[in-house]
Amino acid sequence: MIVTMQEGILSRWFRDKELTIVIGVLLSVARLTKWAAKMVCYPIVYATDSHSWPIYIATLLCASGVLMNGVYWAVMVKKGWATLNGREISQPKHKYKNRLGRQSIGVAPLASSRRLSSSVISQIAGSTSTPTGHAGARFRFSCNLFLYVPGTFWMIPWIQLIMSSVLSSFDDIATEFVEFRYNTTSIMAGYQSSLTQVVPIIVAPIMGLIVHRYGQRLTNLFAATLVLVTSMILLSYTSAAPYAGMIVFSLALALGPVSVLSSTSMLLPYELAGTGMGLHKCANNIGTTIVAVLVGYVQDLTYHDGDSSDNHVDLQSEYDGVMALYLAMACASTLVVGIFWIMDRKLLGGWLQASKVERDRRVEVARHEQKEEERTYRYPYYGVGPAEQAERRDKALQMIGSLLRRKKTYVYVGFYCFWLATSWIIFFTFALMPIYQNYEPQLSS
């Protein structure tokens, strides 16, 4: 929830602006913190002879996070952007409105007027009649909006399910993997596994600047999948030192998340940016839950000869099946990103690949077409007809990822809910296994 709210706030404030740079800085700070935590965790445990002290320190850091959240809340209230109970009362200003059109499906009734509507709800009418809806009406969320989200956005959850779940899951088991496969101590394994966080600390902000200026988000994402495949091969099927594979893996952590996170809000109207980040993070958690359980299950299936004298040899192959699973998913993510690139090129004209200059030009075109439509409705004999102007407006909004579907579809939401339900079923199936399998604890004599 914390990460989702954080990314949602950033997406609302920085869409069509410096979002990629901000995401790069955010990832850099997050990886720096995680690197430091991995470096000092085991030394603290051995120095204090207790596993509680790392938890105490983490609790203090969480308390400081609560304090900073209070500061942000106070600033928002002081500037008049939020109420004391935390409700947002104004939104960042943008150069264009999301869609003009008549609100006609009863999602959230708005006051009738001949003024322009900035609400995303007006998109789903698909009408070229006289616009209605009050310009100052506050956006009201409805679950029906999910049915109108375009297919290009739903590629982000697919990438999260496949690629990001590998990144998150392997990052969690990296220390034990190094300890077992390379037969080293837990402290040294912690040091070596912390290298997975090193490259993003430096590269993520730089990538944010590059992607912000030159675009090429999907190119970077495709490169990240290839780097991820390379890291899995180095760690699993070569005799290279662990730090080599970990550093290559960390490069994938730097390239992938910057492109995915900054693409999420660019594929939805800004009113739905927070919702998009929530779906994005939920998909990541769905994939991580499923993959984490599969990793443990594959580990349990690993053959052991039962001879305690060569346990270190058995442990070296403990993760062979797991790494094969990771490699297969990394290869699948390459295919998904390729499909995503084709969809972006065909449907959005390469919006996610566009440079800053091209993005600004497209936003200006969208603003211009909406002004022209207002003029068309006010002066019926001015320029082109309302129907033709509405098509121009829709095309301009589609080219900046701000156009919802004209007709609702249950396909994408259905697939999403299927994997959501699957993750919960898998989780409870294995979490409750000790109960329905009648496991009895073995007490040492």
Side-chain angles (χ1 to χ4, degrees):
M1 182 179 292
I2 295 175
V3 176
T4 303
M5 294 298 103
Q6 186 181 46
E7 294 173 353
I9 289 172
L10 292 177
S11 298
R12 294 288 291 275
W13 283 106
F14 293 98
R15 190 191 193 278
D16 303 326
K17 297 180 182 178
E18 299 81 10
L19 176 62
T20 311
I21 300 176
V22 175
I23 291 294
V25 174
L26 172 68
L27 290 174
S28 176
V29 174
R31 298 303 174 187
L32 177 61
T33 305
K34 197 165 186 177
W35 170 79
K38 284 195 170 189
M39 287 286 288
V40 303
C41 181
Y42 281 107
I44 290 175
V45 170
Y46 283 104
T48 61
D49 197 26
S50 171
H51 286 80
S52 300
W53 272 101
I55 300 176
Y56 297 155
I57 296 174
T59 303
L60 290 176
L61 292 174
C62 289
S64 65
V66 173
L67 177 62
M68 292 304 300
N69 186 70
V71 172
Y72 175 76
W73 193 343
V75 171
M76 292 287 287
V77 173
K78 184 178 180 180
K79 294 291 185 179
W81 295 329
T83 62
L84 287 175
N85 63 1
R87 182 176 66 83
E88 185 182 20
I89 57 178
S90 63
Q91 298 175 354
K93 297 184 181 298
H94 291 256
K95 297 180 182 178
Y96 59 91
K97 297 179 177 65
N98 287 317
R99 166 79 196 272
L100 307 175
R102 185 175 60 189
Q103 190 269 336
S104 62
I105 66 166
V107 175
L110 303 175
S112 178
S113 169
R114 291 182 63 88
R115 299 178 64 184
L116 300 178
S117 171
S118 63
S119 174
V120 69
I121 297 174
S122 62
Q123 290 195 33
I124 54 186
S127 171
T128 58
S129 304
T130 302
T132 62
H134 195 276
R138 183 168 64 89
F139 169 68
R140 300 178 184 179
F141 177 80
S142 170
C143 291
N144 285 341
L145 291 174
F146 290 128
L147 304 177
Y148 296 89
V149 172
T152 48
F153 168 80
W154 292 107
M155 293 303 295
I156 295 292
W158 273 113
I159 293 173
Q160 288 293 93
L161 280 169
I162 301 175
M163 179 184 177
S164 298
S165 60
V166 174
L167 295 174
S168 301
S169 177
F170 179 77
D171 200 28
D172 292 337
I173 62 135
T175 300
E176 187 177 82
F177 169 78
V178 173
E179 182 181 357
F180 287 178
R181 178 169 173 77
Y182 297 94
N183 193 25
T184 186
T185 64
S186 58
I187 293 181
M188 183 57 66
Y191 289 155
Q192 292 177 330
S193 65
S194 68
L195 293 175
T196 58
Q197 313 299 320
V198 170
V199 175
I201 296 173
I202 302 173
V203 175
I206 298 175
M207 287 304 303
L209 288 168
I210 294 175
V211 172
H212 172 69
R213 182 169 183 177
Y214 300 106
Q216 305 300 319
R217 285 171 171 80
L218 297 183
T219 301
N220 291 325
L221 188 57
F222 186 77
T225 61
L226 297 180
V227 171
L228 180 60
V229 170
T230 303
S231 68
M232 294 296 106
I233 293 175
L234 283 174
L235 291 168
S236 306
Y237 303 106
T238 70
S239 58
Y243 62 80
M246 292 296 173
I247 291 177
V248 174
F249 177 84
S250 69
L251 179 59
L253 274 177
L255 296 175
V258 170
S259 299
V260 174
L261 287 172
S262 62
S263 297
T264 302
S265 62
M266 292 180 63
L267 297 173
L268 289 173
Y270 74 85
E271 290 99 333
L272 297 179
T275 302
M277 281 296 180
L279 292 171
H280 161 109
K281 193 62 182 179
C282 183
N284 188 11
N285 292 333
I286 291 171
T288 302
T289 300
I290 295 174
V291 173
V293 174
L294 287 177
V295 165
Y297 183 69
V298 172
Q299 249 185 302
D300 290 341
L301 293 179
T302 304
Y303 173 76
H304 295 282
D305 58 15
D307 185 1
S308 59
S309 63
D310 62 349
N311 276 345
H312 66 284
V313 176
D314 292 337
L315 289 176
Q316 286 181 332
S317 61
E318 178 81 9
Y319 280 94
D320 287 355
V322 172
M323 298 304 290
L325 173 64
Y326 285 151
L327 179 59
M329 295 184 66
C331 293
S333 67
T334 303
L335 177 61
V336 172
V337 173
I339 296 173
F340 194 14
W341 182 85
I342 294 174
M343 292 180 65
D344 174 65
R345 185 176 180 85
K346 296 293 185 181
L347 301 178
L348 304 180
W351 170 238
L352 297 180
Q353 296 284 79
S355 65
K356 183 180 185 301
V357 174
E358 174 63 14
R359 294 196 304 272
D360 290 344
R361 185 194 68 80
R362 293 193 187 191
V363 169
E364 181 61 27
V365 169
R367 185 193 65 82
H368 172 75
E369 294 298 340
Q370 289 188 324
K371 288 180 65 176
E372 288 297 307
E373 184 180 32
E374 177 185 1
R375 207 172 288 175
T376 299
Y377 278 112
R378 288 181 177 178
Y379 311 104
Y381 300 102
Y382 171 84
V384 300
E388 182 179 349
Q389 185 58 44
E391 289 185 8
R392 292 184 179 182
R393 171 209 61 206
D394 289 351
K395 185 66 174 178
L397 290 177
Q398 183 178 2
M399 291 298 101
I400 61 173
S402 289
L403 186 69
L404 298 181
R405 296 175 56 88
R406 291 183 179 273
K407 297 181 179 180
K408 63 183 179 181
T409 177
Y410 292 90
V411 175
Y412 304 116
V413 176
F415 273 113
Y416 193 91
C417 291
F418 168 77
W419 288 110
L420 176 62
T422 300
S423 66
W424 279 107
I425 292 172
I426 291 177
F427 173 77
F428 282 113
T429 298
F430 284 87
L432 300 178
M433 186 177 291
I435 297 177
Y436 64 76
Q437 292 287 352
N438 296 321
Y439 287 171
E440 295 182 1
Q442 296 181 356
L443 302 177
S444 58
S445 56

